[in-house]
Structure formats: C-alpha cells, structure tokens
C-alpha cells in the first residue's frame, strides 16, 4: 500500500495538491485506504436507504448514528487507529446486508451498493483502490470537485450532529439528508447543475444542524454569558480536556469534583467556560495552551493527563503517550480509549487515578485572563447599544475573523489583520482561528470589548444570528451590513461552515490561507462569480478594499 493514497480534503495537503505518500496529518496509506472504503460502503448503504425513504419508510436511528460516526471518523485529525477502522468496516457490511434485505424488492445497481466487504484485510486494502478519489480517471474534473465538496460538507455536518446526538438532540431532516446526499454522489446521471444544488442544500443542512446543536447546548447548559478565563496554570494535579463535546466535559467535572484535580480546557473546549452549568464547577480553573497544532510541544512530558473528545489529534509523542486518552470516535493506535455505556455514561476513573499519580504542576503562575462567552444571546443583549453606536459613527465596521486554525506559516495574516483593524471597529471571532490573537489586548469601543469570542466552530450559527438580527435592526440585507467575513479554513467543518454562509446568501467572504485543492478551476470560478469569494491577499490591502 505504501505510496498508494490520494487525499486532498484538508488545507495542509501536500504541495496544495494532495497527499500521496503519507498524510501531512500523519494518516498512513493503510488508514487512507480504509477511510476511502468506509465512505464507499456508506454510499452503498445510502443507495438502499434512499429507496426506503422514497417509499415513506423511516430509517432506524442506529443506522443514522453509524453513518454519522463513520463520516466523522474520516474527518481530518480524528482517528488514526487501524483496529477502529476495521471494526467500522465490518459493521458497515452488517448494516449493508440488513438494509439490503429491507429494500430487496427494489432494483438497485451500482458498484457501491453491490460491493461486499472481504473477510481478509489484505483483500480489503486491494478493494479500497476502487474507492479512491482519483480511481475513475475519466470522471469530469468539475463533477469530481463538486462531489468532493458535498462529501466534505457532510463530514463537517456529521461532526456537529454527533455532538448534538450525544445530548439527545437531532434533526430528522439532516438524518435523512446523509443518505440522499451520499447516494447522489454515486449517480452518474446527475449534471453539474444538479450537484451544485446539492452543494447549496448541504449548506442549508449545515445551518440546520448548527441550530440544533446551539439549541441542545443552550438548553442543556444555559446560554453562554461573558466570563473571564485564566490562561495560565495553577498548582496541583490536573486533566486537560480538548475537543468540542460539552457532555464529556460535564461528566469529567462531575467525576473529578472534590478530588483535588484541576480541569483545564484546551483548543475548541475554551468556549465551554461561558456556559453557566459548566462554569459553576470551581475546579474548572482555566484554559491550557493554544491551538490544536501546538499540542505536541505543549503536551510534551506534562505532569498531568489529556482527554481528546473530538478532533484535532496529532501523533502523540512518547513523552505523553501514556497519559493521553481518547473518547467518542477519536483514536490513535496504542492510546487508551474510553467508551460510553448504552446510556452514554463514561467512566473516567482511570484518567483520574493517573492524574493524581502524576502530581501536577508544582506552583501557580500569575493569573492572566481572557474574555469568552459572547454567543448570540449575550451579544444581542447589547443590540440597542451596538445599533446606536453604529448610527452615531462610534462603531464603523464589524469583522468576523476566525475559523479552523492550522500550522501553515501564512496564517500570521490573521494576527496581523486583527492587529490592524481600526480602533473604532469590533472583531467577532470563533473556532480555533482565534488562538492567533485572542491573548492580545484590544480594549473597548462604545463601552463594549472590541474582541467578542462567540464560541466554537459550530457557533458560526451565532455569527449568523447576530448578523441577521443586525440586518433586521438596520432594515437592510445581510450583505448591506458593515460586516466582513475573514475566514480561515483547515478541515471539513470549515467546509460545512462556508457552505452554510453561502446557503444564506452571504457574499464577499475573504478565504485563506490558501484555496481548497478539491475545487477545480471552473468550480472555483463559479463560487467567485456567484458569491464573490475572495482569496486573502495582505492585511493592508484587504482592509483598504473593505473600508475604502
């Protein structure tokens, strides 16, 4: 299998074209092959499921959950464990046979539907070649490009839907759409125009699922409110929790309460400090480290434990491989995985014991605090102040600067841009892109903090709610607002976020640090012409273009 892979789903893909020997993320050709074949199986399952949906039959939620987890598992930097992939492939065949029986009176052709998984790993890896992105050399480049865009949007949606389902929230419309869209990716009769409709529909489903997750998080943990978070360390044993799943954090906080263990958030878990039902725990003491791509350096030999709940996981160094744990669909060969029981409960006793053994940090650092918790409810509670400040000329412009961060050097653009934003403008930020500048001092304007952290990547929904409410207040369209989107993308959740914004008709988004390799020149041209998407240039030139 060595050297026989092709993956271009993330922003750091080799030479901006595709990873062919090993993934820049650390994905091996073997993992790449199994992920390709797992998606191939999902497409096959979906060919049967759509026939049942067309007849008005409901699809079992256990199958929906399996498809969702499989999509999420193949997202960048989530799972690198061959055994987990083999387990999911075997399950996919069982699921396929079950749904095939249910749709037995339907005439279904197509390689993905008719394929059956082999019993031997060796044959599975050979079969995986036909599931590769570039296997069909005769496929029109634009068709391939749009199909891949839909697929990556689905992976992003699955990540958010997985989070929502874990706290018992879901959208039946999104659940059914997985099957409809995956089956469409196998349909050679669909034209480019047909597939572009699916691209925009995927954006609609992304808005839908973010609304569901927002509802789930705010109803379960109350709406975020502004909170100061210490970004330096405290003395004592500790666990660092990374990722996005608030339910995992809640269970960890419940199980560590009164045990003398400090809990730090990391990466995209930082916004959880804004939720009242989580920040009531006094041993949730702060946030550790920066964005996900610094984890190898920051976790190097730390005297505590790490829990990875969702992406982004990098190859653990030997200095902390014995103290990093994974859960949900996250995994790396040789690290401990914590599963949930049938009620969703997880037993964190092993990680707790290990954290106590390690002893933790020896002394407190000086407290340094940053502000989080400006979700749509908190921000819009100041709507009157904001609207009046704009009308009075005190606030000139809003910039949404955020998205998925990564290691590429060109990403200092986002720090420089934030620093150069004039003092009479407000910066909204979300996702891990904010780690480029969220520890800098931005001061206030019109009595409001100039930097408003509105949350995780899925809180692009908060940005949309804020924008729509302001458009309503100013009695104008969303594109007439003094609001610009400066988006950084890395993986497939960013694809779902971008498609969500496009489906709402948002135009003029600045996208960087590079454009996706999976966009063919013609598809890119279509997006530029239809939505005025702009590749970033320099902060100076882009600011000049925006502010005039």
């Amino acid at each position: 299998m060595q050297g026989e892979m092709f993956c271009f789903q993330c922003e750091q893909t080799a030479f901006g074209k595709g990873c062919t020997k090993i993934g820049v993320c650390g994905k091996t050709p073997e993992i790449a092959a199994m992920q390709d074949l797992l998606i191939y199986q999902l497409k096959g399952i979906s060919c049967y499921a759509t026939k049942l949906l067309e007849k008005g039959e409901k699809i079992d939620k256990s199958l929906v959950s399996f498809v969702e987890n499989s999509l999420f598992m193949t997202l960048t930097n989530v799972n690198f464990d061959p055994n987990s992939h083999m387990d999911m492939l075997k399950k996919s065949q069982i699921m396929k046979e079950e749904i095939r029986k249910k749709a037995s009176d339907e005439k279904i052709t197509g390689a993905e539907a008719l394929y059956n998984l082999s019993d031997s790993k060796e044959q599975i890896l050979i079969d995986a070649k036909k599931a590769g992105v570039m296997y069909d050399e005769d496929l029109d480049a634009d068709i391939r490009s749009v199909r891949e865009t839909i697929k990556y949007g689905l992976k992003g949606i699955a990540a958010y839907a997985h989070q929502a389902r874990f706290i018992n929230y879901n959208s039946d419309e999104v659940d059914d759409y997985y099957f409809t869209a995956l089956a469409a990716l196998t349909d050679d009769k669909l034209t480019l125009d047909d597939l572009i409709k699916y691209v925009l529909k995927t954006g609609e489903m992304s808005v839908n699922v973010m609304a569901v997750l927002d509802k789930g998080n705010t109803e379960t943990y109350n709406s975020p409110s502004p909170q100061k978070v210490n970004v330096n360390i405290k003395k004592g044993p500790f666990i660092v929790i990374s990722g996005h799943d608030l339910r995992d954090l809640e269970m960890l906080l419940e199980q560590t309460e009164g045990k003398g263990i400090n809990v730090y958030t990391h990466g995209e878990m930082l916004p959880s400090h804004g939720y009242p039902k989580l920040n009531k725990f006094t041993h949730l003491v702060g946030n550790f480290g920066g964005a996900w791509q610094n984890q190898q350096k920051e976790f190097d030999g730390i005297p505590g434990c790490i829990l990875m709940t969702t992406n982004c996981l990098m190859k653990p160094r030997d200095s902390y491989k014995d103290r990093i744990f994974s859960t949900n669909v996250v995994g790396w060969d040789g690290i401990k995985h914590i599963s949930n029981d049938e009620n969703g409960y997880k037993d964190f006793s092993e990680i707790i014991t290990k954290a106590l053994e390690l002893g933790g940090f020896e002394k407190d650092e000086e407290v340094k605090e940053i502000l989080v918790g400006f979700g749509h409810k908190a921000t819009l509670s100041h709507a009157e102040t904001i609207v009046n400040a704009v009308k009075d000329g005190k606030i000139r412009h809003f910039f949404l600067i955020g998205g998925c961060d990564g290691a590429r050097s060109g990403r200092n653009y986002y720090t420089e841009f934030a620093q150069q934003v004039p003092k009479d403008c407000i910066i909204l930020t979300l996702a891990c892109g904010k780690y480029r500048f969220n520890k800098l001092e931005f001061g206030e304007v019109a009595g409001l903090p100039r930097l408003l952290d509105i949350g995780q990547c899925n809180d692009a929904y908060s940005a949309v709610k804020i924008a729509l409410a302001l458009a309503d207040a100013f009695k104008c369209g969303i594109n007439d607002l003094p609001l610009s989107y400066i988006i950084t993308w890395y993986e497939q959740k960013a694809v779902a976020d971008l498609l969500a914004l496009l489906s709402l008709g948002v135009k003029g988004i600045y996208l960087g640090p590079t454009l996706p390799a999976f966009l063919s020149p013609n598809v890119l041209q279509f997006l530029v012409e239809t939505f005025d998407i702009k590749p970033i240039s320099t902060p100076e030139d882009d600011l000049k273009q925006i502010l005039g």
Side-chain angles (χ1 to χ4, degrees):
M1 280 303 296
Q2 203 58 39
E4 291 183 24
M5 67 178 276
F6 185 85
C7 181
F8 60 178
Q9 69 175 4
C10 86
E11 181 269 331
Q12 66 180 11
T13 197
F15 310 111
K17 290 190 175 142
C19 293
T20 53
K21 293 191 170 63
I22 192 160
V24 174
C25 64
K27 180 161 72 173
T28 62
E30 179 183 87
I31 294 289
M34 289 197 269
Q35 291 190 348
D36 287 345
L37 195 59
L38 186 55
I39 297 289
Y40 192 79
Q41 282 282 72
L42 300 186
K43 289 177 185 173
I45 287 167
S46 298
C47 292
Y48 295 104
T50 45
K51 293 293 182 193
L52 298 176
L53 287 170
E54 282 162 15
K55 291 194 328 199
E57 292 184 35
K58 284 195 163 31
I59 304 295
D60 196 283
K61 292 297 181 191
S62 63
L63 179 58
V64 176
S65 186
F66 174 78
V67 169
E68 190 168 270
N69 288 345
S70 299
L71 284 166
F72 187 12
M73 185 182 194
T74 66
L75 189 141
T76 304
N77 287 89
V78 174
N79 197 303
F80 301 82
D81 181 13
N83 293 331
S84 303
H85 284 86
M86 198 51 80
D87 285 348
M88 291 298 266
L89 278 167
K90 284 175 181 165
K91 274 186 202 156
S92 74
Q93 186 58 31
I94 294 165
M95 298 278 191
K96 188 187 248 182
E97 284 165 13
E98 282 174 6
I99 199 151
R100 197 182 263 159
K101 273 189 205 131
K102 285 181 188 164
S104 58
D105 55 345
E106 301 289 337
K107 277 198 166 48
I108 293 173
T109 55
E112 293 93 341
L114 301 177
Y115 171 74
N116 289 310
L117 192 76
S118 171
D119 290 334
S120 84
K121 184 176 177 180
E122 193 181 20
Q123 188 58 47
I124 283 171
L125 294 178
I126 292 167
D127 289 351
K129 288 176 185 170
K130 67 175 151 218
V133 173
M134 295 296 182
Y135 178 70
D136 182 357
E137 291 173 8
D138 300 326
L139 185 65
D140 177 80
D142 299 332
I143 295 277
R144 178 184 283 116
S145 175
V146 178
R147 281 180 179 178
E148 292 305 302
T149 305
I150 295 162
K151 183 168 93 183
Y152 304 146
L154 289 174
K155 290 186 182 194
I157 287 168
Y160 298 150
H162 164 94
Q163 239 178 299
R165 202 175 305 274
F166 194 32
I167 48 174
N168 300 317
Y169 284 76
N170 76 290
S171 155
D172 291 338
E173 198 184 355
V174 172
D175 291 354
D176 290 350
Y177 185 68
Y178 288 137
F179 302 108
T180 312
L182 284 164
L185 301 183
T186 71
D187 188 349
D188 293 330
K189 294 192 292 296
L190 294 179
T191 64
L192 195 57
D193 285 346
D194 295 331
L195 286 167
I196 281 167
K197 287 182 186 133
Y198 274 98
V199 169
L200 295 177
K201 184 73 175 172
T202 304
E204 282 173 40
M205 291 302 109
S206 182
V207 176
N208 180 323
V209 81
M210 285 193 273
V212 170
L213 180 53
D214 178 76
K215 185 173 192 276
N217 282 340
T218 54
E219 286 183 359
T220 309
Y221 303 108
N222 297 347
S223 288
S225 59
Q227 298 292 332
K228 287 180 175 172
V229 180
N230 184 18
V231 292
N232 282 342
I233 59 174
K234 288 178 78 72
K235 181 182 175 182
F238 67 93
I239 295 169
V240 172
I241 178 167
S242 190
H244 307 77
D245 266 305
L246 304 186
R247 176 72 184 120
D248 285 322
L249 173 60
E250 182 184 39
M251 282 191 278
L252 183 67
L253 289 167
E254 286 167 351
Q255 291 177 44
T256 48
E257 197 167 21
K259 293 199 164 80
I261 291 177
N262 291 323
V263 174
Y264 299 89
T265 55
H266 173 265
E268 284 275 75
M269 203 59 93
L270 168 63
S272 59
H273 290 270
Y275 290 90
K277 285 199 176 169
L278 297 172
N279 68 39
K280 69 176 185 184
F281 290 94
T282 54
H283 63 300
L284 179 63
V285 296
N287 189 72
F288 179 83
W292 67 271
Q293 71 271 8
N294 302 322
Q295 67 188 260
Q296 289 169 320
K297 190 169 76 219
E298 290 173 349
F299 295 164
D300 194 17
I302 56 170
C305 291
I306 307 122
L307 177 64
M308 300 297 293
T309 67
T310 51
N311 64 318
C312 293
L313 174 65
M314 296 171 80
K315 183 181 182 178
R317 288 184 179 173
D318 290 342
S319 65
Y320 63 88
K321 199 171 182 182
D322 66 332
R323 59 200 67 180
I324 186 167
F325 295 72
S326 65
T327 188
N328 300 325
V329 299
V330 185
W332 193 287
D333 193 14
I335 72 171
K336 282 273 169 62
H337 187 81
I338 298 167
S339 299
N340 51 286
D341 64 17
E342 63 279 4
N343 302 313
Y345 178 79
K346 296 178 186 181
D347 179 359
F348 290 123
S349 54
E350 191 176 352
I351 192 169
I352 291 167
T353 304
K354 182 82 178 169
L356 290 168
E357 274 170 20
L358 287 164
F361 295 120
E362 289 178 5
K363 53 179 190 283
D364 290 343
E365 285 181 345
E366 187 185 344
V367 172
K368 175 178 167 57
E369 291 179 322
I370 61 172
L371 203 54
V372 303
F374 288 93
H376 55 90
K377 192 176 174 191
T379 302
L380 292 174
S381 68
H382 301 288
E384 197 180 343
T385 310
I386 292 168
V387 170
N388 290 334
V390 173
K391 285 178 177 169
D392 296 344
K394 290 177 185 161
I395 296 175
R396 180 169 27 152
H397 206 85
F398 298 87
F399 291 91
L400 177 72
I401 310 174
C404 294
D405 201 17
R408 197 185 286 270
S409 56
R411 289 178 179 271
N412 51 357
Y413 166 94
Y414 295 92
T415 315
E416 290 166 16
F417 193 103
Q419 287 174 311
Q420 289 178 34
V421 165
K423 299 278 186 278
D424 57 355
C425 300
I426 280 181
I427 298 167
L428 303 168
T429 191
L430 54 85
C432 53
K434 63 175 164 265
Y435 280 102
R436 294 272 162 183
F437 49 81
N438 68 344
K439 291 177 187 173
L440 304 175
E441 292 295 333
F442 287 96
E444 293 191 348
V445 61
L448 294 166
R450 281 188 59 233
L451 181 70
L452 302 178
D453 182 352
I454 54 179
Q456 297 181 337
C457 42
N458 46 277
D459 291 310
Y461 179 73
S462 267
V464 164
K465 289 274 279 194
I466 292 164
L468 291 171
L470 289 175
D472 195 43
F474 288 114
K475 299 189 172 28
C476 68
I478 199 166
N479 293 310
D480 303 316
L481 286 169
L483 167 65
S484 300
Y485 300 81
I486 319 297
I487 304 291
T488 163
W489 87 281
Y490 171 69
E491 39 85 330
Q492 297 81 66
K493 279 182 289 180
V495 177
D497 292 353
L498 179 67
L499 297 183
L501 292 172
L502 299 185
S503 78
L504 291 163
V506 173
K507 294 191 173 177
I509 294 168
Y510 285 77
L511 187 64
T514 56
L515 292 169
F518 54 82
L519 291 181
S520 67
N522 288 337
V523 172
L524 179 60
Q525 189 60 29
F526 164 79
L527 292 174
V528 169
E529 285 172 6
T530 313
F531 299 103
D532 194 24
I533 287 180
K534 298 171 164 73
I536 60 169
S537 60
T538 65
E540 294 81 1
D541 288 350
D542 290 346
L543 269 165
K544 197 188 285 180
Q545 192 178 15
I546 292 163
L547 295 173

